[in-house]
Amino acid sequence: MGAGHGGYARRAADAGWTVTAVDARDDRFPDDSRITWIKQDVREFDLTGFDLVLCLGLWYHLTVDDQMSLLTKMARNGSPVVIDTHVATDNPTFKLSDPVVQNGYTGRLYNEKGWKTRLTASWNNTESFWPAEDEFYRMLAEHGFPVVFAATPWVTRDRTFFLCAPGPQQESTGE
Ligand SMILES: C[S@@+](CC[C@H](N)C(=O)[O-])C[C@H]1O[C@@H](n2cnc3c(N)ncnc32)[C@H](O)[C@@H]1O
C-alpha cells in the first residue's frame, strides 16, 4: 500500500510472493509484469484475501481517521501487517505541529499542503497525523493488533518497521 516507486513490491516478487501494489499515483510504477499494479486510494482498496499487507512509507501521510479505519479493515482481513512509519517524538526532526489529541490519540500534525505536486505526499488530505510511539502501540492494540514487533534498521534511523500480528477474531454470536 502506497507502493510508489515499487521497489519493495519488486523485492517481494523476487522473494517469490504474488504481489499486488497499490498507490493513488501511478507515475512511478516500474514496468514489471510480475506485479499487479493498481492506481487507487488505499482508503477505497479492498484488502480481503491478502496473506500479508505491507504499508511502507504511507502511514504518516494519512489522517488519524484513515489510520483507524485502515486498521479496522486490516484486522478484519486477519493477516499480519507490516507498517513502516515515522512516529512523533518530543524533538521531531521534521517540521510538525505542537502535540495534539485527535480521536483520543496524542501525536503531531504534518503539513501536506503541497500534496498536489509532490509524488511522495499524501493523497487528497492537507494534513496527516503522526502518533507518538506509545500512542501508536495503543492504537494498534485497540484496533485488533495486540502483538507488535518493532525494528529500526540503522540505515533508516528515523523510521521503524512494525510487524503487527492480529489478535483472535471475534466470533459472531448472531445476536
Ligand atoms: C513516501 S512515499 C513511499 C513510497 C514507498 N512505499 C517507500 O516506502 O519508499 C508515499 C506513497 O504513498 C502514496 N499515497 C499517499 N497517500 C495515499 C493514499 N491515500 N492512497 C494511495 N496511495 C497513497 C503516495 O502517492 C506515495 O507514492
Side-chain angles (χ1 to χ4, degrees), residues 17 47 49-53 77-81:
W17 291 81
L47 287 172
F50 288 96
D51 296 323
L52 178 66
V53 176
N77 181 49
S79 71
V81 173

Side-chain angles (χ1 to χ4, degrees), residues 41-112:
D41 190 325
V42 296
R43 292 169 280 217
E44 290 152 15
F45 184 70
D46 181 4
L47 287 172
T48 314
F50 288 96
D51 296 323
L52 178 66
V53 176
L54 303 182
C55 189
L56 310 177
L58 167 71
W59 204 256
Y60 51 85
H61 290 302
L62 300 172
T63 65
V64 70
D65 285 340
D66 295 335
Q67 292 170 359
M68 291 168 64
S69 70
L70 261 186
L71 285 176
T72 301
K73 276 207 290 188
M74 289 165 165
R76 206 173 291 141
N77 181 49
S79 71
V81 173
V82 179
I83 299 174
D84 152 41
T85 186
H86 298 289
V87 289
T89 63
D90 289 341
N91 298 301
T93 47
F94 283 75
K95 197 162 174 241
L96 302 178
S97 74
D98 287 338
V100 295
V101 179
Q102 290 195 337
N103 293 3
Y105 297 107
T106 302
R108 294 174 187 260
L109 299 172
Y110 178 68
N111 188 329
E112 302 268 9

Side-chain angles (χ1 to χ4, degrees), residues 2 4-5 8 23-25 28 41-43 56-57 119-121 123:
H5 47 63
Y8 288 120
D23 201 293
R25 302 176 176 89
R28 297 190 296 155
D41 190 325
V42 296
R43 292 169 280 217
L56 310 177
L119 296 180
T120 55
W123 182 254

Side-chain angles (χ1 to χ4, degrees), residues 18-35:
T18 302
V19 182
T20 300
V22 186
D23 201 293
R25 302 176 176 89
D26 61 2
D27 313 63
R28 297 190 296 155
F29 283 169
D31 183 13
D32 189 329
S33 60
R34 296 172 302 168
I35 294 161

